């Protein structure tokens, strides 16, 4: 199946919100991180990230990271683009304490405080996605 970062961002965000409202912290947390990752990768495409259509993935291995690593990578693309000043993410990276391997963790390891921080980070990315769509960047 072909990569569609925008659709993946929207789908993960929507499902994360549903799980968050149902207090299903563990899976909401994973999906917020995936929503942020996909949204940032879509924005990176819009500002020049090289993408290998034959392999259906970003050219650079550094651009194939998850939420904890892609936040800084996004900044490197954003800073090099003329419209970049309109799409700034706050620092520090809210996903610095997140890793994809946490999908294996027990659900009791997740709590609302942890998930709310990741939700806020994903919401910031979602806001930038909406802004980029309004601005015609996407």
């Amino acid at each position: 199946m072909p990569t569609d970062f925008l659709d993946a961002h929207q789908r993960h965000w929507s499902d994360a919100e549903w799980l968050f409202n149902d207090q299903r912290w563990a899976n909401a947390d994973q999906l917020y991180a995936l929503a942020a990752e996909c949204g940032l990768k879509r924005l990176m495409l819009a500002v020049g990230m090289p993408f290998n259509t034959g392999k259906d993935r970003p050219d650079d291995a550094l651009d194939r990271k998850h939420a904890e690593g892609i936040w800084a990578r996004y900044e490197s693309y954003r800073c090099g683009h003329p419209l970049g000043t309109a799409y700034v993410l706050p620092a520090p990276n809210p996903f610095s304490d997140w890793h994809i391997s946490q999908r294996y963790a027990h659900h009791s390891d997740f709590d609302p405080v942890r998930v709310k921080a990741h939700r806020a980070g994903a919401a910031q990315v979602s806001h930038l996605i909406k802004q980029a769509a309004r601005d015609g960047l996407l």
Side-chain angles (χ1 to χ4, degrees):
M1 290 179 246
T3 296
D4 187 332
F5 291 127
L6 181 58
D7 180 73
H9 162 74
Q10 293 166 335
R11 175 170 37 95
H12 293 320
W13 170 258
S14 178
D15 288 352
E17 286 287 89
W18 183 83
L19 290 165
F20 180 86
N21 290 326
D22 200 35
Q23 299 181 0
R24 299 195 47 211
W25 310 126
N27 285 345
D29 196 56
Q30 283 292 300
L31 290 180
Y32 283 131
L34 294 176
E37 172 192 335
C38 293
L40 290 175
K41 287 179 179 178
R42 179 58 185 99
L43 291 168
M44 290 163 58
L45 278 175
V47 296
M49 176 180 71
F51 191 84
N52 184 325
T53 54
K55 293 185 178 181
D56 197 35
R57 67 182 191 189
D59 273 341
D60 194 324
L62 294 173
D63 297 333
R64 292 182 235 139
K65 303 296 180 188
H66 295 293
E68 77 280 10
I70 211 68
W71 198 269
R73 196 69 181 146
Y74 165 78
E75 281 297 303
S76 68
Y77 282 101
R78 182 196 65 78
C79 290
H81 193 273
L83 299 176
T85 58
Y87 299 94
V88 178
L89 286 172
N93 176 354
F95 296 98
S96 62
D97 65 344
W98 180 90
H99 192 271
I100 192 68
S101 66
Q102 291 168 355
R103 69 188 180 272
Y104 305 124
H106 192 272
H107 74 274
S108 65
D109 293 333
F110 298 86
D111 60 56
V113 173
R114 174 186 182 76
V115 178
K116 284 180 182 178
H118 295 155
R119 182 184 191 214
Q124 291 163 338
V125 173
S126 184
H127 172 76
L128 290 182
I129 287 286
K130 290 174 186 168
Q131 177 184 338
R134 283 191 308 269
D135 293 348
L137 189 60
L138 302 182

